[in-house]
Amino acid sequence: MGKIIVFSLDDCGFCKKVKAALSVRCIPFVEISLSSHPEKRRDMLALSDRLTVPQVFFNDAFIGGSVEVIKILSEWDLSDKAPLEFYKADIEPLPEPNDERLMIPTGPPLRYPKAPKRTLAHDYIFLPDGSTKSIFHMTRELMKLLPRNDLMFLAKVYRNCFTGEHFVDAITEHFNVSELAAIEFGNSLKQHQIVHHVCNADHDINDTTKYFFRLQPFHTPDVLNSFRIWTDRIDPDPIAVLGRLRKMLSKMEGEAINENGQIDYLAVAQNKLFLKFDEASSELQSVRFSLMDDKTKLAFCINLYNVMIRHAFIKVGIPQNSMNRSAFYGTVSYNVGGHMLSFNDIEHGIIRANARPPYSLFHPFGERDPRRGLALQTIDPRIHFALNCGANSWYVLHILL
């Protein structure tokens, strides 16, 4: 029986577009993932003489990439017959391809190294009723439980915060405990850095409206990977950390693709896996640049940028004009090893060896900036083919090792 074969990458938007176009028309296909079986890239290149994905075959016949496939499907749509009828008439009756290069790989898929075990003793906190919960589950519960108000003090507005009174009222009602127990629990959360005073002052939580507090996930909104302060174990392989984050992103995006292959980032933000991803990205706070040589640092920063752009689209949104884009690339950041790095900092400060960005009079990192030491020594011009700025025309590359 004949078949449609799609060579693809998990993160490729054009691949997702082709697969969505086939699926919405109920046309079956088989996928050869170069993410899971990178050795099949050699076969794809030999068969198509192309390096990009997707590459699609109708049985032994090479069709092309997304443009060619979408064109054929559009022509089928204009016919009196349903697209599935074309498949059943022209593709399915033919014998199965006998070229081994078009066969589904039978070997085990490529797997990223498993994360080191979590240090559970540091990850659990005691609740007012004597039970325990992980920092993740407690934070998630508090995000639903505590109010998020815009409060004013001395003509300054503090966003996404609550008063000590709000906190005590919510905790006493939710856990059915005394005010004293709620206050003790609140100060325990402060010690675990789950709750902060809005100005980071050393004020305890009390049953008063005098002081404002904020949950950690909302405390530094421009820092994407700030769901929690990372106090857990550190994975010595920073590329593996990004590999796991990338895999989680791909899974969520794959569940939010429309028939045109476009990703609904609002739907991704509502995915039950997103908060897990948000917490997992906090591990980057503990990455150590000092342990990387320049080759590793280059690969890490390219992949960091490409993960970060997708995270930002989910959490902050997609900038819609030139002014918003300038602020987006200059202020949205990741905390990496204690360094706050924006998109511009990663691209121009580190990867482009602290070179001045276009139309700028200054280098990203000044002489007294501690991040200056992160800059690579030389510029590799091929970086411009690897960095994904998030534009519709950009192709998302496989993770660089």
Side-chain angles (χ1 to χ4, degrees), residues 259-271:
E259 62 182 42
N260 296 317
Q262 298 170 322
I263 298 170
D264 182 350
Y265 284 105
L266 293 177
V268 177
Q270 299 302 315
N271 191 299

Side-chain angles (χ1 to χ4, degrees), residues 3 5-10 30-57 59-60 62 96-110 395 398:
K3 61 181 65 175
I5 301 113
V6 180
F7 286 89
S8 69
L9 283 170
D10 294 348
V30 295
E31 181 180 7
I32 298 177
S33 171
L34 303 185
S35 298
S36 300
H37 298 276
E39 72 280 2
K40 294 294 289 184
R41 183 184 291 274
R42 187 183 302 108
D43 293 339
M44 184 192 75
L45 177 60
L47 290 164
S48 66
D49 197 30
R50 297 187 185 182
L51 284 169
T52 58
V53 287
Q55 298 304 331
V56 181
F57 293 78
N59 294 315
D60 291 313
F62 173 54
E96 186 169 331
N98 56 13
D99 191 325
E100 290 187 358
R101 295 172 295 182
L102 290 171
M103 300 295 181
I104 302 298
T106 57
L110 175 68
Y395 161 67
H398 187 53

